[in-house]
Amino acid sequence: EYTPLETIDSELVKDAPLPKFINELGLRVETTNLWLSDGNTIGKLHFDGADNFLVQFVGSKTLTIFDPHNNENLYEGHIQEAEFDASYKLDEKGYSLQNWTFSRHRLLDSTSMVMSPVDLAKIDVQRFPNFAKVKRMVCTINKGDALFLPAFWWHEVASAPCPEKHFNLALNFWFRAFFLKDIPCAECRLDINKDYHHFL
């Protein structure tokens, strides 16, 4: 799971300064996220509306990436987001006495969660014949590596744990995209963000 650093601890924010080039270019940072798992996770095929600078600290991540012109061939879908209520009980030492209980609070109007129904582990060519037209790129980032992933580039992320530490840890900076498009819109043209016209 991930969470914005600002919601956890201000000391962590100090330990994760913005990369120098982001400030030098005047890029507009939206959030800095901490990603932590047991390392056996898959972030299914999707794209984000923000540019992404991903830094790996523990374990590795393998990304399968597709360019934004593949929307129709990846069967772009939109998931309505929801808010959930959570409850739990702690003992006097702060340890959980029971598992978390989640209940759906309400559905949001947002359709910002963009996913593809194509399962890369078992591609159903009968159901998704256009997928045969796409070309993929695959890369793995390890401890100390960083990857720039532009907004609207499709990606699936498979995490792997560090063999010694048995977990996966990464940090990412989401900043306002240089190119924008309307969502949902499978064939919308990417336009330069007016916030960055000074670059031109």
Side-chain angles (χ1 to χ4, degrees), residues 2-195:
Y2 75 93
T3 190
L5 277 187
E6 299 80 6
T7 65
I8 309 173
D9 187 336
S10 59
E11 291 300 313
L12 283 175
V13 175
K14 292 177 189 174
D15 289 339
L18 292 175
K20 194 174 179 184
F21 79 90
I22 291 179
N23 285 326
E24 289 174 347
L25 291 173
L27 301 176
R28 306 215 176 178
V29 176
E30 294 187 337
T31 188
T32 301
N33 297 304
L34 184 73
W35 296 80
L36 178 64
S37 73
D38 66 1
N40 299 296
T41 62
I42 294 180
K44 300 302 280 184
L45 189 57
H46 68 285
F47 68 71
D48 301 304
D51 287 336
N52 185 4
F53 190 66
L54 176 64
V55 183
Q56 190 67 35
F57 287 99
V58 178
S60 65
K61 293 187 188 300
T62 298
L63 293 92
T64 305
I65 304 170
F66 304 86
D67 77 50
H69 300 97
N70 283 308
N71 290 22
E72 183 178 330
N73 298 328
L74 291 173
Y75 301 87
E76 178 180 332
H78 298 265
I79 298 174
Q80 192 172 12
E81 293 184 294
E83 284 183 353
F84 284 82
D85 292 321
S87 62
Y88 60 94
K89 290 183 180 177
L90 300 178
D91 65 15
E92 65 279 354
K93 293 182 179 178
Y95 294 105
S96 178
L97 293 172
Q98 65 179 43
N99 292 330
W100 287 70
T101 302
F102 294 94
S103 59
R104 190 169 77 189
H105 177 66
R106 68 184 178 108
L107 287 175
L108 305 178
D109 292 332
S110 168
T111 58
S112 62
M113 191 66 186
V114 181
M115 302 292 289
S116 170
V118 178
D119 182 353
L120 294 184
K122 187 178 178 184
I123 299 164
D124 185 340
V125 291
Q126 299 295 321
R127 189 172 170 208
F128 306 113
N130 286 352
F131 186 79
K133 300 175 186 176
V134 302
K135 293 183 180 178
R136 71 179 77 188
M137 295 173 277
V138 179
C139 71
T140 299
I141 59 173
N142 297 293
K143 177 182 176 182
D145 291 337
L147 175 72
F148 171 67
L149 189 65
F152 309 112
W153 281 68
W154 289 90
H155 53 287
E156 182 162 296
V157 184
S159 295
C162 168
E164 297 82 27
K165 298 182 178 178
H166 309 291
F167 70 96
N168 189 289
L169 178 66
L171 192 71
N172 88 303
F173 304 91
W174 269 327
F175 46 99
R176 199 166 300 173
F178 185 79
F179 290 105
L180 295 177
K181 75 168 190 164
D182 292 329
I183 298 176
C185 182
E187 294 303 315
C188 287
R189 189 168 69 87
L190 292 171
D191 290 318
I192 294 175
N193 186 335
K194 63 180 175 56
D195 290 339

